[in-house]
Amino acid sequence: MTAIEKVYDPRRFERRWYEHWESLGVFTADPASDRPRYVMVIPPPNVTGRLHMGHALNNTLQDILARWRRMRGDDVLWLPGTDHAGIATQMVVDRELQKEGSSREALGREAFVERVWRWKEEYGGAILGQLKALGCSCDWTRTRFTLEPALSRAVREAFVRLWEDGLIYRDRFIVNWCPRCRTAISDLEVVPQPIAGRLYTLRYPFAEGEGFIDVATTRPETMLGDTGVAVHPEDERYAAFIGRKVRLPLTDRLVPVVADPFVDRAFGTGAVKITPAHDANDFAAAARTGLPALLVMDEGGRMNDNVPAPYRGLDRFEARARVIEDLRAAGVLIEVKDHPHQVGHCQRCGTIVEPYLSMQWFLRIAPLAEDAVRAVADGRVVFTPAHWVNSYNEWMGKIHDWCISRQLWWGHPIPAWHCGACGRLMVARATPERCDACGKTALSPDPDVLDTWFSSALWPFSTMGWPDDTVDLRTYYPTTTLVSGFDILFFWIARMIMMGLKFRGEAPFRSVYITGLVRDAEGQKMSKTRGNVVDPLDLVDRYGADALRFTMAAMATPGADLPLSEERMAGYRAFANKLWNAARFVQMNAPAEGETPAAPAGGGALHGAALALSDRWILSRLERLRGEVDEALAAFRFDEMANALYRFLWHEYCDWYLEMSKPALIAGGESAARTRRVLGEVLECVLRLLHPVMPFLTEEIWQALPERTGETIARAAYPRPGEGRIDAAAEREIDLLVEVVTRVRNLRAELNVDPGRKVPLLYQAHDAEVGALLAREGGLLRSLARLESVEAVPAIAARGLAARAVAAGVDLAVPLEGLLDVDAEKTRLRRELDKLTREREGHAKKLQNADFLERARPEVVAKVRGIDQELGEKIDRLARTLRTLESPGAP
Ligand SMILES: [Zn+2]
Ligand SMILES: [Zn+2]
C-alpha cells in the first residue's frame, strides 16, 4: 500500500494513470467477447481544431457513459477520429502559403493537396491528444480520419449508389457563394450579421406608353441582372400591367411584368424586381414564371461581360456605388432610406455571401428524409431532451435538396468524369479509361469536391469498414448512443440517420443526447469578439481534469445551457480536495495487517446487527446512492449523478460519518476494527461510483486502498443497486441525532461558547423511541455536539437558567450556570444588537428610497434586500438569546 500524498496535485498523476490505462488496453473494444455492446462514435472534431468548451462538455459526457458501461461489464467501443473539414483546413494552408508569398493557384491543385496532407501529418489531430488530457477513454486503435483511403472508398461507394438510384443530379442552382473563398458554402457556414444597409427605390418606365413601376432593393447592382418585375396576381393596382414590358435603366434590355403569388402586396410598392441568378426567391419565382436567369458576376464577385461596358470588371460593391450614381443621374433613383438588416457572412472569412447561380451537384433528399422521420416517430431513435424531435420534424418537413459540391481542392473528389468528345457525364467507382458513350479517352475529372458533411454523414459505418462486411461492422453497428450539440442536429445527426437507413437498413444509433451550450458566467455566448472564451486546457492545468469534468457533469441539465463560472469550478476542485483528505484520514486509520479479512465489494458482508448505528446508516445511504446514480445515468441525468455523489461524499461521508467514526476509532478493539472496515469499504465503493466522472483522482486513491482488487479501477465492477440494503430505521435515527446535534451546535454558536468547551445537555423526550435512542447513543451525541454529559430529565422547564431548543419529539436545554458570565454576555449581546439594528436601518432607508429603487439595477436592489433579510434574521436570533438570559425558564 502506498501512502496518499499530503497535497492533492492532479498534475502529478493524471498523465501517469492515462498511460497506465492505455498500457493495459482498457479502452480497446473486443468484438470476440460475448459481453453486451455499448457503442458510440465521437462527433469527429475538425482536424484543424483545438479543444474548446463545447468539446470538453460533449466528450466528458461521452466518457462518463463509456467508463460507466465498461465497469458494468459491457464491451465498450468509443470510436474516435477527426474530420478533414474541407474549407477550414484549406484556409489554414492558404494562409500559410500567403505568408510565404505564394498561393494555392501558384502551387497548382496536386501540389496543394500534397501540401495539405503534409500539414495534416504534422499538426492535424492535435485535438486528439487534448482529449487524452481530458481523460477520454476512446479506442485509439480504431482512430479514423474522414479523408483516409478506406473512408474515401466508402464515400465513393455511397455517391455512386445514390447516383444509380437517381438521387444525385447536377444542375444550375442558386447557392450561398463566398466570392473570397470562391466556393459554394452550406447554410451552416453562413453567419447572419446586422449591417447598416439602405433600401433603394428604383423606377422602371414602361417600354411603350406612359407610366412606370417602382421597385425596391437593398442591392441595386443586381438590377443589371433583372429579367423581370413581379406583382401579385390579385393586386388590382397592377392587374393592367401584367404582360407589359419595362425598360431596364442603364441597359437597353426590356423585361416583362409577371404575376406570382410569392409577392407580398403590403411590402414596399407591391412590385419586386426579379434577379434569378442572384436571389434564391427570385430564382424560384423565375422557374415558376419562365423568366431566364442572367448571371452578372464572376466567381470572385466582379461584374462580368453580361453587364454594360462601364460596369464590367468592377467589384460588386464598386459596381453598387457606380449604379447608384448613374441611376440618380438618370432620374430613376426615387428614394434612398436607411434600412438596417441581417446579411449572411462567410463563417470562414467574414465576406458577405452572394446568392449565386452556378453548376452544382445535388442530393434529392426528401425520400431519405421520409424514412428518417419515421425512424424517430416510431421510437427506433430516441432524442433526449425529447423536444428536439419537434425541431427535427419541422426541418425535415421543409427540407430542400442538398447541394453536396464545393469548389475546393481539399476534400473527396466527386467521382464523375466529363467526356471532352461527346459531353457525356460518367459517375463511377473507379476512374474510367474511356467514354462509355463514344469510346474516346478524352475524359476529364469533375473539378468539385464533396461537402465535408457528406463524409460525416457516413461516419457511423464508414469508420467500421463499410462497404466491406467487416467484423466490426457486424458487431458494432448500429451504435448505441450519440452525444452531440444541437447546432449540428440537421447538418450531421439528421443526415447520419438518413444515410444509416439508406445504406445499412438501420438507424445508426438508438439514442441521441443533445447537450446545451457552454456560456460564460453571465450567460453570454463565448466568442472571440467578446473576449470571454475559456480554454478547457487552461482549466485542466489550473483545476485538474477531474474538477473540469465534474463541473461539466454537474451543470449538464438536459435542455439547459451551462453558464460556466470559475467559482463553481473552484468549488468542485475543493470537493476533489475534500475527498483527498478524507481518503488520507481513512488510510491513516486503515486496518492493521491481518485485522480484516478481505470483504466482498459493496459492504455486503458488513451488514448485520453487530454494526454500530452510524455504520448501518452510512451503508444504507450508500445503497441509496447506488440506486440514484444508476437511475440518473440511465436517464442521461449527469447533473443528478454528480449532485448525488457530491452530497453523499461531502455531507454524509465527510461531514458526518467521519466524525461519527472517531469515538469508535479512539475506543479501539473490535468496534474500531469494524469501523475501519466500513470506512474503507464505503470509500472504495464510492470511488468506483465516482470513477466515470473523476477518473484520475479516483484511480490515484483507489490504488492506495487495501480494499481494491485488480490493476485498475477502470476495470473494477460498477456498484449496482441492490447489493446492500436500505436500513430505514438507522436513517430515521441518525436523522434525529443529526437534528439534535445541529440544534445544540446552533445554541453554542448563539451563546458564543468557546468551540473547545464541553457543555452539559438536558433533554425531555416526549416520544419513547426518541428517549431510548438518545439514551442508547449518548456516546455518539457527546462526541458530535461536544457535550460533557447527556441527561434525561422529567421536566425541563424547572431547570433554571438555560438555553433551550426543540427537536422532533424532544426538548433540549443547555444549562448556563457556570458556562458563561451571564451579565457580560448580556452586555455583549445588547451591543451587538445595537450595531446590527443601526446597520439594518441604513439598508431599510435605501429600500424606502423610490429614487434608488427606480435607478439601481435589479440585481443591486435584490442584493440589498438579501442583506436586509439576513440582518433581520440575525437580529431575531440575538434577541431570542438575550431573552433567554434575561428570563430563565422561557423557551
Ligand atoms: Zn469565405
Ligand atoms: Zn464521349
Side-chain angles (χ1 to χ4, degrees):
M1 190 172 77
T2 47
I4 299 170
E5 298 266 343
K6 229 180 198 152
V7 178
Y8 167 54
D9 178 6
R11 279 169 302 193
R12 239 192 34 247
F13 53 79
E14 288 187 348
R15 183 185 296 265
R16 175 159 46 85
W17 290 124
Y18 199 91
E19 283 165 7
H20 182 65
W21 298 323
E22 283 203 287
S23 72
L24 293 175
V26 172
F27 309 154
T28 311
D30 177 13
S33 92
D34 54 6
R35 289 173 284 148
R37 313 290 173 190
Y38 189 83
V39 189
M40 292 180 292
V41 290
I42 207 170
N46 284 355
V47 70
T48 51
R50 191 179 151 76
L51 202 70
H52 59 59
M53 286 310 299
H55 298 125
L57 169 66
N58 183 266
N59 288 290
T60 294
L61 302 187
Q62 288 177 78
D63 195 46
I64 290 173
L65 294 171
R67 287 178 182 271
W68 170 51
R69 289 300 189 133
R70 208 176 279 124
M71 289 175 77
R72 269 176 54 146
D74 290 2
D75 171 42
V76 172
L77 169 59
W78 181 17
L79 192 148
T82 47
D83 194 294
H84 67 281
I87 194 166
T89 313
Q90 175 159 327
M91 280 198 62
V92 168
V93 179
D94 270 346
R95 274 197 296 268
E96 261 188 12
L97 290 173
Q98 211 172 15
K99 269 186 214 146
E100 295 163 16
S102 177
S103 73
R104 171 163 32 118
E105 289 75 13
L107 218 57
R109 183 162 182 159
E110 208 170 313
F112 177 79
V113 170
E114 253 172 53
R115 170 84 187 239
V116 184
W117 273 107
R118 278 211 306 282
W119 179 91
K120 189 256 171 193
E121 296 311 326
E122 195 166 344
Y123 306 105
I127 193 164
L128 299 181
Q130 296 168 344
L131 288 174
K132 293 183 182 184
L134 197 62
C136 294
S137 61
C138 303
D139 183 348
W140 302 111
T141 66
R142 288 177 165 83
T143 305
R144 297 287 181 265
F145 178 54
T146 52
L147 203 56
E148 71 182 59
L151 273 69
S152 296
R153 210 177 117 232
V155 165
R156 237 171 16 246
E157 180 68 26
F159 187 97
V160 173
R161 286 199 201 175
L162 289 165
W163 169 265
E164 287 168 353
D165 291 347
L167 293 174
I168 285 179
Y169 61 92
R170 190 166 181 259
D171 200 1
R172 280 159 64 82
F173 202 81
I174 280 272
V175 294
N176 303 306
W177 185 269
C178 175
R180 187 173 178 283
C181 298
R182 290 179 180 247
T183 177
I185 56 179
S186 74
D187 293 349
L188 179 70
E189 290 156 331
V190 177
V191 185
Q193 273 167 11
I195 62 157
R198 291 211 171 88
L199 189 65
Y200 303 85
T201 304
L202 321 181
R203 180 157 293 175
Y204 293 177
F206 285 113
E208 284 163 14
E210 295 289 298
F212 51 81
I213 288 187
D214 288 349
V215 295
T217 179
T218 55
R219 296 184 295 150
E221 72 282 7
T222 61
M223 60 86 55
L224 297 173
D226 284 1
T227 59
V229 169
V231 297
H232 195 279
E234 285 152 26
D235 191 336
E236 286 167 10
R237 292 173 293 173
Y238 296 111
F241 300 155
I242 296 167
R244 288 182 66 181
K245 287 195 166 160
V246 295
R247 182 173 302 280
L248 198 60
L250 314 186
T251 74
D252 51 11
R253 290 194 292 117
L254 301 182
V255 302
V257 178
V258 298
D260 193 283
F262 100 103
V263 178
D264 179 358
R265 273 173 282 184
F267 183 78
T269 60
V272 295
K273 62 196 265 316
I274 298 291
T275 323
H278 295 277
D279 182 283
N281 288 328
D282 293 4
F283 182 76
R288 285 190 297 268
T289 52
L291 293 176
L294 181 69
L295 200 63
V296 292
M297 291 174 204
D298 66 14
E299 295 174 352
R302 288 183 178 277
M303 307 313 282
N304 65 14
D305 290 350
N306 290 334
V307 301
Y311 309 104
R312 285 176 200 163
L314 292 183
D315 172 79
R316 54 189 168 148
F317 298 113
E318 293 166 359
R320 177 175 302 177
R322 184 72 179 270
V323 164
I324 292 166
E325 205 178 296
D326 294 350
L327 287 170
R328 186 172 280 133
V332 291
L333 181 59
I334 304 307
E335 190 185 25
V336 181
K337 59 181 181 189
D338 288 340
H339 182 67
H341 62 292
Q342 300 272 331
V343 169
H345 289 66
C346 173
Q347 187 193 44
R348 297 292 156 194
C349 73
T351 302
I352 290 183
V353 169
E354 190 69 31
Y356 192 73
L357 185 64
S358 61
M359 187 61 96
Q360 303 288 346
W361 293 84
F362 291 89
L363 176 58
R364 221 183 293 279
I365 209 161
L368 301 174
E370 268 173 42
D371 285 347
V373 165
R374 262 199 302 277
V376 171
D378 64 19
R380 276 175 284 158
V381 180
V382 177
F383 280 72
T384 305
H387 71 81
W388 285 110
V389 173
N390 302 334
S391 318
Y392 174 84
N393 286 337
E394 196 181 315
W395 188 70
M396 292 296 227
K398 57 181 188 200
I399 199 165
H400 41 80
D401 291 356
W402 174 15
C403 174
I404 52 175
S405 46
R406 295 291 180 270
Q407 290 64 50
L408 302 173
W409 288 356
W410 175 245
H412 295 106
I414 288 187
W417 290 264
H418 303 268
C419 174
C422 74
R424 166 103 171 146
L425 172 62
M426 282 184 287
V427 167
R429 287 171 180 82
T431 309
E433 283 183 6
R434 54 188 68 247
C435 173
D436 59 10
C438 73
K440 300 257 168 55
T441 56
L443 298 179
S444 56
D446 191 271
D448 290 353
V449 300
L450 283 164
D451 179 5
T452 294
W453 295 100
F454 189 90
S455 52
S456 319
L458 313 177
W459 184 248
F461 50 91
S462 64
T463 51
M464 295 181 188
W466 188 86
D468 292 338
D469 181 29
T470 63
V471 172
D472 269 12
L473 191 61
R474 282 198 303 270
T475 312
Y476 297 117
Y477 189 94
T479 71
T480 322
T481 301
L482 180 85
V483 180
S484 170
F486 64 83
D487 50 337
I488 47 177
L489 175 60
F490 312 128
F491 295 94
W492 191 46
I493 301 174
R495 286 167 180 167
M496 277 193 289
I497 298 176
M498 294 179 203
M499 294 300 188
L501 289 166
K502 169 77 182 161
F503 292 111
R504 298 295 303 160
E506 262 183 296
F509 25 75
R510 309 215 184 283
S511 65
V512 179
Y513 179 80
I514 308 251
T515 64
L517 196 67
V518 182
R519 296 174 176 272
D520 75 4
E522 274 73 50
Q524 298 283 327
K525 208 168 163 172
M526 289 188 185
S527 75
K528 274 187 196 148
T529 40
R530 279 204 189 90
N532 61 350
V533 177
V534 178
D535 178 352
L537 294 173
D538 177 46
L539 295 175
V540 166
D541 208 39
R542 286 159 56 215
Y543 298 95
D546 288 323
L548 171 59
R549 292 169 60 110
F550 198 91
T551 308
M552 295 288 97
M555 297 180 75
T557 303
D561 285 347
L562 295 78
L564 179 75
S565 76
E566 290 229 5
E567 280 160 24
R568 193 141 176 198
M569 185 142 347
Y572 292 131
R573 171 74 160 69
F575 169 68
N577 201 51
K578 183 103 175 165
L579 172 56
W580 186 266
N581 290 332
R584 274 172 49 78
F585 174 84
V586 172
Q587 190 176 54
M588 279 187 272
N589 287 289
E593 206 70 50
E595 187 183 81
T596 328
L606 281 169
H607 283 282
L611 290 172
L613 173 62
S614 53
D615 298 336
R616 283 165 49 213
W617 170 72
I618 198 69
L619 290 169
S620 179
R621 298 303 301 164
L622 179 64
E623 175 57 32
R624 281 195 200 275
L625 177 68
R626 276 196 282 262
E628 282 167 6
V629 167
D630 192 70
E631 209 173 291
L633 282 176
F636 297 112
R637 290 308 302 259
F638 303 97
D639 54 337
E640 288 180 354
M641 178 220 196
N643 292 334
L645 284 162
Y646 184 93
R647 192 208 58 231
F648 177 86
L649 262 170
W650 190 297
H651 298 299
E652 296 179 350
Y653 187 74
C654 292
D655 282 356
W656 287 103
Y657 184 67
L658 292 192
E659 289 306 309
M660 291 175 185
S661 71
K662 282 174 184 168
L665 293 173
I666 292 164
E670 204 172 305
S671 68
R674 210 169 40 225
T675 297
R676 282 201 271 266
R677 281 180 56 186
V678 177
L679 270 174
E681 285 218 8
V682 172
L683 178 63
E684 194 276 339
C685 182
V686 82
L687 286 176
R688 282 183 284 134
L689 282 167
L690 182 60
H691 176 75
V693 194
M694 296 186 131
F696 299 108
L697 170 66
T698 50
E699 183 79 277
E700 174 76 6
I701 298 174
W702 190 83
Q703 292 281 348
L705 295 183
E707 287 83 1
R708 73 182 168 92
T709 47
E711 289 173 298
T712 168
I713 190 173
R715 273 190 181 145
Y718 202 73
R720 304 295 297 269
E723 289 173 6
R725 68 183 176 86
I726 304 279
D727 188 335
E731 291 192 1
R732 207 170 50 241
E733 293 185 353
I734 289 287
D735 280 354
L736 192 92
L737 285 177
V738 164
E739 195 191 346
V740 169
V741 169
T742 308
R743 296 272 182 273
V744 175
R745 284 178 180 171
N746 289 346
L747 286 181
R748 297 180 58 115
E750 284 162 19
L751 291 168
N752 208 24
V753 175
D754 172 10
R757 175 84 183 261
K758 290 193 174 174
V759 302
L761 176 69
L762 307 177
Y763 69 88
Q764 180 187 355
H766 303 293
D767 176 311
E769 206 187 319
V770 174
L773 171 67
L774 296 186
R776 197 171 69 237
E777 298 296 340
L780 192 54
L781 209 51
R782 278 204 303 277
S783 136
L784 292 173
R786 295 202 145 270
L787 303 174
E788 63 181 22
S789 63
V790 179
E791 189 191 337
V793 293
I796 209 160
R799 292 305 286 256
L801 191 61
R804 288 152 208 284
V806 177
V810 60
D811 292 344
L812 308 166
V814 174
L816 298 177
E817 217 168 316
L819 188 64
L820 44 90
D821 177 341
V822 172
D823 286 334
E825 185 59 17
K826 279 197 270 195
T827 313
R828 187 188 72 83
L829 285 172
R830 285 195 194 103
R831 232 185 352 244
E832 183 72 16
L833 259 176
D834 273 358
K835 195 186 110 200
L836 290 179
T837 309
R838 274 196 308 277
E839 205 175 306
R840 195 183 181 195
E841 274 162 12
H843 285 94
K845 252 184 221 150
K846 244 190 202 171
L847 288 174
Q848 282 154 12
N849 182 343
D851 207 36
F852 167 76
L853 293 177
E854 206 168 287
R855 288 196 190 171
R857 283 190 313 187
E859 57 267 32
V860 174
V861 176
K863 201 175 165 192
V864 174
R865 274 193 217 287
I867 294 171
D868 178 65
Q869 197 185 342
E870 222 172 87
L871 284 170
E873 282 163 12
K874 259 193 206 164
I875 289 167
D876 287 349
R877 250 195 332 268
L878 288 180
R880 213 169 37 238
T881 311
L882 189 59
R883 275 201 305 277
T884 307
L885 297 182
E886 284 168 342
S887 55

